[in-house]
Amino acid sequence: MHEEIFHPATYAAGVPYGVFRKLRAESPVAWIPEPAVGTWPAGTGYWAVFSHADVKHVLRSPELFSSHLGATQIRDPDTPEDLAFVRAMMLNQDPPDHSRLRRIVAAAFTPRAVRALEETIDERARALIASALHKETDFVELAADLPVWTLAHIMGVPDEDRRLLYDWASRVIGYQDDEYAGLSTADAASMSPMAQKAMQYRPTSFTHPDGRPVNPRSYTALADMFAYAHALAAVKKENPTADIMSRMLEGGLTDHEFENMFFLFAVAGNETLRNSIPGGLLTLLDHPSELARLRADPSLLPTAVDEMLRYWPPVMDFRRTATRDVTLSGQKIEAGQKVVVYHASANRDETVFPDPDRFDVSRTPNDHVSFGFGPHFCLGAHLARTQMRAVFRELLPLRIERTGPAVRLASNFQNGLKHLPVRLTPAR
């Protein structure tokens, strides 16, 4: 039955690549049950897609496999109202609605705009790594600062409020892990008046009166974030600046679309790097000969970053919903059934990647799907690579010593680390 593929606790011990390998060979499209997890109820089950070719086919075929019908998470929204809420987000739309929003965002997220940020990102990464020298530090916490700071910078979020982005992402992404689900690290006393007012809308409980957990992706669970986004939109309309959010409003986003875009940026643009940067470092530390190759030839950094993303994909899967009866790798999928593509499995497909379990900082070509594929290919891919290169450029000259065990996130969606204790010192 392979229900371990669904269970979040499986991933706290490591991504089950051995199971993925077996399924690619024997049942590349397989039915996976959704048992209850703690207080979260059981689901309907879904078709899981494991091969690289099938994953790409699903992702490039929105007419067959919709992002909109049931949204893009394995877990179904709890109510019709919750489904309507998440459907408004660009991530959960199909062409042509998705195409219209993507054009607006892309116009503000040009390579030229990202290049203008590169020097600033490099400076921030340099200061961040320098702040951790000669002492033990949790690299997960250290690395999380760069994507949060970058997002706050490009979104025009005041510096004193940027930690809220970290907390909101933790609430949404980490709900399957008790340590993440309740994180609240922002200092209320130092927030902007806009943030302090928005925090009045933060739910006091994340359970319904009958004891059921509130869906972390619902408007109810994120009322404070949407209150903040609404207030930020009003500020930017009155005083537009050069940041990306101002440009998107000028490009034609409605207030409601702006709020949902804020949600997407605050979570997706944050959590992926919060996972991929520590995951990349752990991968290098687990492969000292490849780390030595990269140190000897830093020009390999661009290919090394893509190999980190292949080897440690920050997002392991995404859901689609079949729009009609369809056959995929011999399996008959009925209209309305959930179809979940496993990027983590596709990235180890031996028909595409020679010796796929080998970490190779010079691997090329590298057709990984960690940024997705097709209409939903990640608009922030260039920005993500820029941030990863900035961090690892600073780390390569250093002596990096692990001082404690790496602790993984319990999540069937995000391939994350909660803790990676290290000591950073200049190499002698």
Side-chain angles (χ1 to χ4, degrees):
M1 296 292 282
H2 292 295
E3 69 179 41
E4 73 270 24
I5 293 296
F6 167 76
H7 209 291
T10 297
Y11 300 88
V15 180
Y17 286 114
V19 178
F20 289 160
R21 186 185 313 113
K22 180 179 175 64
L23 285 165
R24 282 195 304 273
E26 299 177 359
S27 186
V29 177
W31 182 256
I32 305 295
E34 287 180 74
V37 177
T39 57
W40 297 94
T44 60
Y46 58 92
W47 290 104
V49 180
F50 298 107
S51 77
H52 189 274
D54 284 342
V55 165
K56 276 195 161 184
H57 175 65
V58 171
L59 292 176
R60 69 170 169 249
S61 306
E63 72 282 2
L64 297 176
F65 304 100
S66 170
S67 299
H68 187 65
L69 285 179
T72 51
Q73 300 297 306
I74 295 176
R75 173 178 162 79
D76 288 318
D78 291 342
T79 66
E81 292 76 18
D82 285 348
L83 177 58
F85 161 70
V86 296
R87 275 177 165 176
M89 194 182 305
M90 185 176 72
L91 182 67
N92 300 321
Q93 293 189 0
D94 299 321
D97 292 333
H98 170 266
S99 305
R100 180 186 69 84
L101 288 176
R102 189 177 176 93
R103 281 194 297 270
I104 293 173
V105 177
F109 224 128
T110 62
R112 180 180 179 184
V114 174
R115 282 195 300 272
L117 287 168
E118 286 185 7
E119 184 176 344
T120 307
I121 289 171
D122 287 345
E123 291 174 356
R124 184 68 181 185
R126 192 173 304 120
L128 195 65
I129 299 304
S131 72
L133 291 178
H134 303 292
K135 58 186 177 183
E136 183 173 321
T137 186
D138 188 336
F139 188 75
V140 173
E141 179 68 20
L142 181 73
D145 182 82
L146 183 63
V148 168
W149 179 87
T150 303
L151 279 171
H153 185 77
I154 67 175
M155 294 165 71
V157 171
D159 189 61
E160 61 266 32
D161 296 343
R162 76 173 193 267
R163 198 66 186 183
L164 288 169
L165 301 175
Y166 178 92
D167 291 346
W168 287 324
S170 298
R171 196 187 311 171
V172 172
I173 297 299
Y175 74 94
Q176 295 171 328
D177 190 295
D178 290 341
E179 184 176 342
Y180 262 37
L183 275 180
S184 181
T185 63
D187 180 9
S190 63
M191 291 177 190
S192 71
M194 175 174 63
Q196 291 177 351
K197 185 175 181 180
M199 290 309 99
Q200 296 174 16
Y201 294 90
R202 189 176 195 270
T204 56
S205 172
F206 293 96
T207 58
H208 292 289
D210 61 5
R212 291 181 299 113
V214 173
N215 192 311
R217 294 177 177 85
S218 66
Y219 192 93
T220 300
L222 293 164
D224 51 331
M225 188 191 75
F226 284 98
Y228 186 91
H230 186 78
L232 186 65
V235 169
K236 295 191 176 304
K237 282 183 175 180
E238 188 171 340
N239 298 291
T241 61
D243 62 73
I244 283 175
M245 286 301 186
S246 292
R247 293 178 195 168
M248 287 194 293
L249 282 168
E250 293 168 355
L253 286 184
T254 67
D255 285 357
H256 184 58
E257 288 169 343
F258 177 88
E259 291 168 11
N260 277 283
M261 201 63 69
F262 184 93
F263 180 8
L264 182 60
F265 274 55
V267 176
N270 174 353
E271 198 65 23
T272 48
L273 280 160
R274 182 173 162 186
N275 293 326
S276 57
I277 295 174
L281 178 59
L282 181 60
T283 301
L284 285 171
L285 294 175
D286 284 343
H287 297 83
S289 62
E290 292 302 292
L291 176 56
R293 283 184 69 199
L294 187 56
R295 282 175 166 155
D297 185 2
S299 70
L300 291 172
L301 189 54
T303 58
V305 163
D306 269 299
E307 180 70 343
M308 292 176 206
L309 289 162
R310 181 193 74 85
Y311 203 86
W312 187 290
V315 176
M316 293 182 289
D317 55 72
F318 264 115
R319 175 247 182 107
R320 300 292 189 264
T321 304
T323 63
R324 66 189 79 163
D325 293 353
V326 63
T327 299
L328 188 64
S329 283
Q331 293 289 359
K332 294 182 178 179
I333 300 171
E334 297 177 4
Q337 287 186 319
K338 290 188 270 191
V339 179
V340 177
V341 294
Y342 277 82
H343 303 77
S345 174
N347 281 356
R348 300 290 182 101
D349 191 327
E350 44 284 300
T351 67
V352 177
F353 304 99
D355 197 3
D357 294 327
R358 177 172 59 90
F359 178 69
D360 177 2
V361 296
S362 63
R363 185 183 292 273
T364 185
N366 193 338
D367 191 21
H368 68 77
V369 290
S370 295
F371 289 123
F373 187 72
H376 283 275
F377 182 82
C378 179
L379 277 168
H382 181 63
L383 181 61
R385 288 185 174 107
T386 296
Q387 292 178 80
M388 289 185 71
R389 288 195 300 267
V391 171
F392 287 101
R393 194 178 296 117
E394 298 303 316
L395 287 173
L396 287 181
L398 303 180
R399 181 171 180 266
I400 309 166
E401 176 189 4
R402 288 177 62 176
T403 57
V407 181
R408 295 184 61 97
L409 180 69
S411 171
N412 61 12
F413 176 55
Q414 288 279 333
N415 185 19
L417 288 172
K418 295 191 294 185
H419 303 289
L420 179 58
V422 298
R423 181 180 293 277
L424 305 177
T425 54
R428 295 177 180 177

